[in-house]
Amino acid sequence: MEVVKDLDIKRYMGRWYEIASFPSRFQPKNGINTRATYTLNEDGTVHVLNETWSNGKRGYIEGTAYKADPSSNEAKLKVKFYLPPFLPIIPVVGDYWVLFIDDDYQYALIGQPSRNYLWILCRNTHLDEETYNQLLERATNEGYDVKKLHKTQQTDPPPEGEEGPKDTKGIWWIKSIFGK
């Protein structure tokens, strides 16, 4: 699988909006305004904040990303989250491979070697159809079944900060496993 070489991790930091993704058991099925915010840590790892709104409530999970092979120039990262979010005891580690990023670091295609997960991310809440279709073609060429992609609803303007009531029960990820 072709991945980005020499990713400028500092330019990659910041907020990314999910334009489309393969449905994941770790996200609510009815989630909207899904986004990821990446912040570079002093040790070179990346703080990951994934957020989504479901039934008017903000659910989130935090984790850490790091290079799978520190000696490689390929954008193959590992992301580690601890579950459940309210009592983080079980580490869950996944692959996060940057398959494509434009020269201006405005949109990206993210996948993993099993091809079970795929994300189209953008710095804006919406991506033009031509660019979206180009990313679909890239994903197809890498062996992904793009018919499984689900477009993520984004509102304008998007929620800022931690707007909205939180999912205080901390079980949004459990509910999502059961399709709620």
Side-chain angles (χ1 to χ4, degrees), residues 54-72:
S54 176
N55 299 320
K57 294 184 179 180
R58 175 182 169 261
Y60 68 95
I61 190 165
E62 295 180 89
T64 303
Y66 52 93
K67 286 194 79 162
D69 177 358
S71 65
S72 173

Side-chain angles (χ1 to χ4, degrees), residues 87-102:
L87 182 63
I89 54 174
I90 303 168
V92 176
V93 179
D95 292 301
Y96 182 105
W97 289 12
V98 182
L99 304 177
F100 176 80
I101 189 160
D102 71 301

Side-chain angles (χ1 to χ4, degrees), residues 5-57:
K5 309 260 190 305
D6 299 314
L7 179 73
D8 185 338
I9 198 71
K10 289 181 181 175
R11 287 183 70 197
Y12 197 75
M13 297 299 97
R15 168 118 350 123
W16 290 89
Y17 295 94
E18 182 182 277
I19 301 302
S21 68
F22 283 0
S24 164
R25 64 178 185 216
F26 296 111
Q27 284 183 254
K29 305 291 185 234
N30 63 345
I32 65 169
N33 293 317
T34 303
R35 63 190 184 194
T37 305
Y38 305 122
T39 310
L40 193 60
N41 295 320
E42 287 184 23
D43 65 0
T45 63
V46 175
H47 175 261
V48 177
L49 171 63
N50 287 344
E51 302 170 278
T52 193
W53 276 256
S54 176
N55 299 320
K57 294 184 179 180

Side-chain angles (χ1 to χ4, degrees), residues 17-22 118-121 132 136 149-152 154:
Y17 295 94
E18 182 182 277
I19 301 302
S21 68
F22 283 0
L118 183 69
W119 295 270
I120 294 176
L121 304 178
Y132 181 80
L136 292 183
L149 270 174
H150 170 55
K151 285 194 175 183
T152 305
Q154 297 284 348

Side-chain angles (χ1 to χ4, degrees), residues 72-168:
S72 173
N73 71 339
E74 293 182 309
K76 294 180 178 179
L77 305 174
K78 293 282 188 184
V79 181
K80 183 189 313 185
F81 295 100
Y82 285 93
L83 299 176
F86 56 89
L87 182 63
I89 54 174
I90 303 168
V92 176
V93 179
D95 292 301
Y96 182 105
W97 289 12
V98 182
L99 304 177
F100 176 80
I101 189 160
D102 71 301
D103 292 338
D104 295 326
Y105 282 60
Q106 294 301 300
Y107 52 90
L109 183 66
I110 310 302
Q112 44 122 247
S114 72
R115 292 175 178 82
N116 290 329
Y117 297 96
L118 183 69
W119 295 270
I120 294 176
L121 304 178
C122 186
R123 296 289 188 177
N124 298 308
T125 56
H126 296 86
L127 185 63
D128 67 86
E129 205 63 29
E130 180 181 350
T131 303
Y132 181 80
N133 288 331
Q134 289 170 356
L135 292 172
L136 292 183
E137 185 176 331
R138 282 183 177 274
T140 300
N141 291 341
E142 292 296 343
Y144 286 90
D145 179 4
V146 297
K147 288 182 238 131
K148 295 190 320 188
L149 270 174
H150 170 55
K151 285 194 175 183
T152 305
Q153 181 184 340
Q154 297 284 348
T155 59
D156 276 324
E160 290 301 323
E162 297 180 3
E163 278 182 22
K166 294 175 183 58
D167 182 350
T168 54

